[in-house]
């Protein structure tokens, strides 16, 4: 019995291979659980009840209120600047009520009162010029031309987004890479067990031939 058990013991290389396989399996499962609880579920909730529509610009205006942003000018150099608030009011094909346009969900969460947050520059004047350029873009280049926008009637009925942060591609990758990690781990474990089983059988057949 002792000899039989010794034959079935894994070598150091096989043991490392098994550990790697189980590590990948655990990493894949934990990644799926973590993304599902912390990121994927909120993203799906954000998309739930939403859809796309055609938007038309109603008004473009700058408010007198200014907001603070943080700029970086080096590894140990950070500061605060200010930018004017630009609002783009639109009408959607789903509703006659005006809605406030935002770049995406991230910008909406950062500053729900404004439609655009410029790249934060050290000079307030440069920030104002960037906002003014964006204002001219919506007034002169877009004007009354319809464009696609996105909305969520359940979470933000008075706001629409120009683009989605959580699109189908991002959601696909959330599932794909943890699943690939899990399957690679399973494959390593299965191949290691199969290789060991074949080696043991070959050794047993070899011993029988010598008897």
């Amino acid at each position: 019995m002792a000899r039989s058990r010794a034959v079935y013991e894994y070598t150091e290389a096989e043991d490392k291979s098994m550990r790697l396989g189980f590590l990948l399996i655990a990493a894949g499962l934990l990644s799926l659980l973590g993304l599902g609880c912390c990121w994927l579920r909120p993203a799906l909730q954000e998309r739930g009840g939403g859809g796309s529509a055609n938007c038309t610009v109603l008004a473009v205006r700058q408010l007198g209120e200014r907001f603070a942003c943080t700029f970086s000018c080096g590894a140990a150099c950070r500061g605060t600047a200010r930018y004017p608030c630009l609002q783009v009011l639109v009408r959607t094909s789903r509703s006659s009520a005006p809605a406030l346009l935002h770049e995406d969900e991230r910008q909406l969460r950062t500053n729900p009162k404004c439609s655009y947050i410029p790249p934060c520059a050290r000079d307030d004047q440069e920030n104002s010029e960037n906002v003014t350029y964006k204002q001219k873009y919506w007034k002169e280049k877009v004007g009354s031309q319809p464009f696609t926008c996105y909305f969520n009637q359940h979470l933000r009925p008075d706001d629409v987004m120009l683009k989605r942060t959580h699109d189908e591609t991002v959601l696909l990758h959330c599932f794909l890479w943890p699943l690939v990690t899990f399957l690679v781990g399973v494959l390593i474990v299965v191949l290691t067990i199969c290789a060991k089983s074949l080696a043991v059988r070959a050794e047993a057949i070899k011993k029988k031939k010598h008897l």
Side-chain angles (χ1 to χ4, degrees), residues 26-181:
L29 289 175
L30 289 175
S31 298
L32 283 173
L33 290 173
L35 288 171
C37 295
C38 301
W39 196 91
L40 188 57
R41 186 173 63 179
L44 290 175
Q45 288 176 348
E46 208 168 72
R47 289 171 60 85
S52 62
N54 287 327
C55 282
T56 306
V57 175
L58 292 176
V60 184
R61 64 193 184 191
Q62 283 192 35
L63 301 182
E65 188 177 1
R66 285 177 171 261
F67 291 87
C69 63
T70 302
F71 64 86
S72 176
C73 50
C77 175
R78 300 177 73 86
T80 302
R82 306 189 76 81
Y83 64 92
C85 181
L86 175 67
Q87 287 190 338
V88 180
L89 298 176
V90 300
R91 180 190 293 117
T92 70
S93 56
R94 299 294 185 95
S95 173
S96 59
L100 183 61
L101 180 68
H102 300 273
E103 290 282 321
D104 52 28
E105 291 95 343
R106 188 179 294 108
Q107 184 268 312
L108 171 60
R109 288 192 296 268
T110 303
N111 189 342
K113 293 187 69 174
C114 304
S115 298
Y116 173 68
I117 299 177
C120 193
R122 190 170 189 170
D123 184 13
D124 290 358
Q125 181 62 31
E126 184 176 347
N127 292 326
S128 297
E129 290 174 358
N130 287 334
V131 172
T132 301
Y133 174 81
K134 184 64 71 170
Q135 182 178 9
K136 289 181 178 178
Y137 168 80
W138 284 107
K139 275 187 174 181
E140 299 174 4
K141 291 191 176 181
V142 178
S144 59
Q145 298 178 14
F147 58 92
T148 302
C149 60
Y150 302 92
F151 64 92
N152 192 314
Q153 294 292 343
H154 297 334
L155 296 180
R156 307 288 304 200
D158 299 326
D159 298 280
V160 294
M161 272 71 65
L162 186 61
K163 57 185 178 181
R164 280 175 172 158
T165 305
H166 306 124
D167 59 11
E168 288 81 0
T169 304
V170 175
L171 298 180
L172 174 64
H173 282 286
C174 281
F175 276 116
L176 179 62
W177 297 115
L179 184 61
V180 169
T181 302

